[in-house]
Amino acid sequence: MAIDEKSSWNRKYSESSHCSLEPDPLLVSAYEEFVADRPAGSALDVAGGVGRHAIWLAQRGWRTRLIDISDVGIGLAEKNASRALGPVAKEFLITSEVADLDSIQDFGREQYDLVLVFFFLQRELFPALAAALKPGGHLIYKTYTTEQKNFAGGPSHPMFLLEPNELLHAFSSLRILHYHETVQEKGVAELVARK
């Protein structure tokens, strides 16, 4: 049975699930440790939902392209960004688009200083994510591992769960600055890498 991701995410966002605007702690810590001393540039937020990370970056001067499959999520992201930044700044700093990431082959070559992926897994996009980074650009990636099966919530289908060390090996062409897998409260892997 095929999974209708768009309908599933539209329903979640309509029910006010997954609507937090708090940035993930990994983004905050990785930004402070590896990115903050560089000038704000261009960022790509893959499967960015209601815009929590794009807004956080925009508040620091970053121009961010936010992509998500859910038109409901993107609509909420645009409203959230206008409230947080003002409509003029939002238009300048955040571009949002509804797109099925299954249909995207690449994000351009050397387009972004920062690429973010949080709680989304589509292995076929790994090479495109690395290629989208400018030289010296950073990738911040965090998502579920197979250990998540031991916890309530989150995905259970193997196509949405990383194998042990899979994320680490997937981006071995980049310089790995931080890698961590945990089984506390949820099974996740997190990676920060530089091109």
Side-chain angles (χ1 to χ4, degrees):
M1 180 175 143
I3 300 168
D4 182 357
E5 288 294 316
K6 183 171 188 146
S7 294
S8 173
W9 281 105
N10 277 342
R11 184 180 68 258
K12 289 175 187 179
Y13 291 130
S14 294
E15 294 169 353
S16 297
S17 171
H18 299 76
C19 288
S20 171
L21 292 179
E22 285 297 312
D24 190 275
L26 174 63
L27 174 60
V28 176
S29 64
Y31 186 87
E32 289 172 359
E33 186 171 352
F34 302 111
V35 181
D37 62 344
R38 307 177 76 183
S42 59
L44 172 65
D45 187 2
V46 176
V50 298
R52 67 182 178 146
H53 296 134
I55 293 166
W56 191 86
L57 288 172
Q59 289 169 330
R60 285 148 186 82
W62 286 76
R63 293 175 322 282
T64 304
R65 176 184 176 198
L66 179 143
I67 302 173
D68 198 272
I69 194 169
S70 169
D71 52 318
V72 175
I74 289 293
L76 289 169
E78 290 175 350
K79 287 178 188 168
N80 292 334
S82 288
R83 272 195 297 263
L85 306 167
V88 174
K90 180 262 174 209
E91 290 301 318
F92 176 70
L93 292 170
I94 298 177
T95 351
S96 52
E97 63 187 90
V98 177
D100 183 346
L101 290 160
D102 285 338
S103 65
I104 293 181
Q105 300 294 313
D106 69 79
F107 301 103
R109 297 194 62 74
E110 300 183 355
Q111 299 290 310
Y112 301 99
D113 300 291
L114 181 59
V115 173
L116 309 177
V117 185
F118 281 84
F119 299 104
F120 173 78
L121 179 59
Q122 187 171 323
R123 292 167 174 90
E124 299 80 12
L125 289 178
F126 288 167
L129 295 170
L133 286 170
K134 292 179 182 178
H138 289 82
L139 170 67
I140 303 175
Y141 202 132
K142 180 177 181 178
T143 198
Y144 295 106
T145 66
T146 54
E147 295 292 338
Q148 183 60 27
K149 293 181 199 176
N150 299 318
F151 299 94
S156 58
H157 194 286
M159 73 185 287
F160 302 121
L161 301 171
L162 291 164
E163 293 295 326
N165 290 319
E166 182 180 357
L167 194 59
L168 178 64
H169 297 303
F171 294 100
S172 61
S173 65
L174 304 177
R175 179 172 175 217
I176 307 302
L177 303 173
H178 166 84
Y179 185 76
H180 182 72
E181 290 187 19
T182 186
V183 292
Q184 286 189 317
E185 299 177 18
K186 45 175 113 163
V188 295
E190 56 186 42
L191 172 135
V192 181
R194 183 168 58 221
K195 190 168 189 177

